[in-house]
Amino acid sequence: MAMKTSSATFKERVDEGIHNDFMRMAVSSAQERLHGRRLTAVDELGNWEDWRSLGQEIRQHVLANLDFYLHQLAANVSKRGGHVFFAETAEEASGYIKDVIVDKKAKKIVKSKSMVTEEINLNASLEAIGLDVVETDLGEYILQVDDHDPPSHIVAPALHKNKEQIRDVFIEKLAYTQTEKPEELTAHVRGILRKDFLSADVGITGCNFAIAETGSIGLVTNEGNADLVTALPKTQITVMGMERLVPTFDEFEVLVSLLTRSAVGQRLTSYITALTGPRDEGDVDGPEEFHLVIVDNGRSSILGTEFQSVLQCIRCAACINVCPVYRQVGGHSYGSIYPGPIGAVLSPLLGGYDDFKELPYASTLCAACTDACPVKIPLHDLLRKHREVIVEKEKMAPFSEKMAMKAFGIGAASPMLYKFGSKMVPSAMSPFKTGDSISKGPGPLKNWTESREFPAPGKESFRDWFKHREKGGNPS
């Protein structure tokens, strides 16, 4: 499974994340910084909710007319001399890209940051046939050098590392001899990548939004590496999820404004680039050959279902930056290249419940993610719907949970049993009490009480209290 980033169990991943004090501190700091900058950026507009509604309307319109816009996009890319390939699966996408590269007798590939290429496990596929694949986004490059460490955040992939850790990796892997200053680390990487850009045979990018009306590919970046990936190699390949398109540049402008403010708290990022096909006669740079790979990989099976709204996502990570669960466990705990609330919804849909059935439960359902989403995806509702599917349709609830719910159903349906049970609970819980709280617990209480206390049930039930009150006793 290409999306899966770890063979450890969910509980093992969570345990590792919770006990990684540096990671939790780094995530907490980054969440506060990014979310704070986002609030400032959206407040400048003054009518943010109107912008969100417009963004939602655009994305819903595209999904409702996806076949039309995909056909229009493909026709316009072809008209400009580009090649379009529709890949139903990750394997088909990687296979087509490998065929193009082999046909060109290419050896070195430079890539800009792309979540969909992570999703289809493209790097591993290309490296398996002996190709030199170089990530040119600084965060992705750091992870690649560090033994292909998977990303932990959609926008800031190396969020879980500090500058001292990065310095040590560079000393070991890149013959680095300077300090942990970010400027010195970046300058060292820049010197290495400059040679890679100039010697690369093929450039591969993702796609923030494709513009159907013109057959253009829109890229939103802050480092400028994507522009070099598309300008210098003779062959360019762009990989996009099939839902990542807009009708015209007017909608592109709206969604880019929502994306940059929500992702990094900027009015605009440093580079907003629109590329249209291979270079024309007289152009000074750009690829001689352009390929657009449009990836389905399970997306079409989401269309028309109760989960369709998840395809509105513009990959800004605003939901991740407000999630209290992500803050405590980090991105690697999700075991998917898509972490956080959006990952908890999307991963089971694209990767299946067998690998990702725990993720919908990695949420408090506080709805902070829904409030932060710039295109109004009801993420907390979708997480709840996943839980319903897991229990009612997939029948994947643990046996102990099934028995506990069945027993509760029997007890709650009988007034006599319910009354008897409520009287027995204080006595049953007394071995686990410390003062007025339960500080250790059996079964489902164990994980909760390992990190927090649970209020102990009172000796007097609500029914007894109410009966006493009705008789004129003290209501306090």
Side-chain angles (χ1 to χ4, degrees):
M1 166 50 62
M3 288 177 56
K4 197 172 180 181
T5 61
S6 173
S7 59
T9 66
F10 178 68
K11 185 175 181 180
E12 289 169 342
R13 298 193 306 265
V14 168
D15 188 64
E16 182 178 352
I18 286 176
H19 290 92
N20 187 335
D21 292 336
F22 163 75
M23 180 278 298
R24 294 174 68 215
M25 181 177 65
V27 167
S28 176
S29 175
Q31 278 190 323
E32 292 175 6
R33 183 175 66 255
L34 291 169
H35 183 55
R37 287 167 55 181
R38 171 189 171 275
L39 292 177
T40 299
V42 302
D43 285 346
E44 290 176 351
L45 289 174
N47 55 345
W48 180 244
E49 289 306 310
D50 292 339
W51 279 82
R52 290 182 73 209
S53 296
L54 181 56
Q56 178 190 38
E57 182 181 341
I58 292 170
R59 297 300 292 136
Q60 288 181 343
H61 170 77
V62 168
L63 293 176
N65 300 276
L66 191 57
D67 54 345
F68 172 81
Y69 288 119
L70 285 172
H71 181 272
Q72 185 183 32
L73 173 67
N76 285 322
V77 170
S78 299
K79 191 182 299 182
R80 294 298 300 267
H83 306 271
V84 181
F85 179 74
F86 285 89
E88 184 176 352
T89 65
E91 292 74 21
E92 285 185 9
S94 296
Y96 177 83
I97 294 167
K98 284 192 287 187
D99 289 344
V100 170
I101 293 172
V102 170
D103 182 62
K104 294 295 173 185
K105 297 181 172 57
K107 295 297 181 183
K108 176 166 285 187
I109 319 298
V110 285
K111 287 180 73 260
S112 64
K113 187 177 181 301
S114 164
M115 292 305 298
V116 72
T117 60
E118 295 276 358
E119 178 186 322
I120 66 175
N121 205 21
L122 180 60
N123 285 17
S125 297
L126 299 182
E127 289 168 350
I129 60 172
L131 297 172
D132 182 13
V133 183
V134 181
E135 293 285 354
T136 63
D137 173 85
L138 180 58
E140 293 283 0
Y141 182 80
I142 291 167
L143 298 181
Q144 185 179 43
V145 170
D146 191 15
D147 295 327
H148 296 82
D149 191 18
S152 63
H153 191 279
I154 290 175
V155 174
L159 182 72
H160 55 290
K161 294 185 179 295
N162 63 18
K163 57 186 186 235
E164 288 79 19
Q165 291 172 322
I166 295 168
R167 176 205 58 200
D168 293 343
V169 170
F170 283 11
I171 289 172
E172 179 184 353
K173 302 293 179 67
L174 301 177
Y176 183 69
T177 58
Q178 294 176 282
T179 73
E180 71 279 3
K181 290 181 179 179
E183 298 83 358
E184 294 178 355
L185 293 165
T186 304
H188 188 73
V189 173
R190 185 181 294 120
I192 296 172
L193 289 180
R194 185 171 290 130
K195 298 174 184 176
D196 291 321
F197 283 125
L198 294 172
S199 61
D201 305 298
V202 175
I204 298 177
T205 76
C207 173
N208 290 102
F209 305 103
I211 299 92
E213 184 181 50
T214 60
S216 303
I217 303 303
L219 299 174
V220 181
T221 65
N222 259 324
E223 297 177 18
N225 60 305
D227 287 7
L228 291 173
V229 167
T230 61
L232 297 178
K234 291 184 178 181
T235 301
Q236 181 197 342
I237 302 171
T238 291
V239 189
M240 64 171 277
M242 63 184 287
E243 80 283 10
R244 302 297 297 281
L245 77 170
V246 292
T248 72
F249 271 97
D250 289 338
E251 292 81 16
F252 178 68
E253 180 182 356
V254 172
L255 292 181
V256 165
S257 187
L258 289 168
L259 173 62
T260 57
R261 283 175 165 82
S262 298
V264 288
Q266 292 176 268
R267 296 175 183 172
L268 289 176
T269 50
S270 301
Y271 302 89
I272 308 293
T273 307
L275 307 161
T276 309
R279 74 167 72 175
D280 288 328
E281 188 175 342
D283 287 347
V284 296
D285 59 18
E288 297 175 0
E289 188 169 311
F290 172 72
H291 296 261
L292 175 62
V293 181
I294 300 175
V295 179
D296 183 337
N297 200 34
R299 287 162 174 79
S300 60
S301 63
I302 301 173
L303 290 170
T305 72
E306 58 189 345
F307 294 103
Q308 176 172 304
S309 59
V310 75
L311 296 177
Q312 294 169 204
C313 179
I314 59 175
R315 303 294 191 270
C316 67
C319 61
I320 295 176
N321 296 336
V322 297
C323 179
V325 174
Y326 181 91
R327 177 180 293 237
Q328 298 301 325
V329 302
H332 288 165
S333 296
Y334 292 82
S336 166
I337 58 102
Y338 295 117
I342 184 61
V345 175
L346 189 59
S347 298
L349 295 171
L350 297 183
Y353 288 114
D354 286 341
D355 286 326
F356 300 114
K357 64 181 180 294
E358 297 93 352
L359 298 193
Y361 295 93
S363 170
T364 64
L365 300 183
C366 65
C369 51
T370 298
D371 290 341
C373 178
V375 290
K376 291 190 173 182
I377 303 172
L379 289 163
H380 71 293
D381 281 338
L382 298 181
L383 289 167
R384 181 181 52 78
K385 288 177 182 178
H386 266 311
R387 298 181 186 186
E388 291 178 6
V389 171
I390 290 168
V391 172
E392 296 177 5
K393 293 183 180 179
E394 299 296 325
K395 309 295 184 184
M396 299 179 78
F399 179 77
S400 57
E401 180 181 316
K402 292 178 183 178
M403 292 298 99
M405 291 299 102
K406 188 171 183 178
F408 177 79
I410 293 172
S414 167
M416 185 187 307
L417 288 176
Y418 188 86
K419 184 177 181 180
F420 175 75
S422 63
K423 287 185 177 294
M424 291 298 297
V425 166
S427 299
M429 290 289 103
S430 59
F432 309 105
K433 284 179 59 177
T434 301
D436 293 328
S437 300
I438 297 174
S439 55
K440 58 181 180 177
L445 283 178
K446 186 175 186 297
N447 288 337
W448 178 279
T449 54
E450 280 180 350
S451 56
R452 58 182 66 83
E453 292 185 337
F454 193 83
K459 293 182 179 179
E460 184 181 35
S461 70
F462 173 78
R463 291 188 178 191
D464 290 340
W465 172 86
F466 190 76
K467 187 183 294 184
H468 181 70
R469 180 180 182 277
E470 289 290 288
K471 291 180 178 179
N474 186 350
S476 60

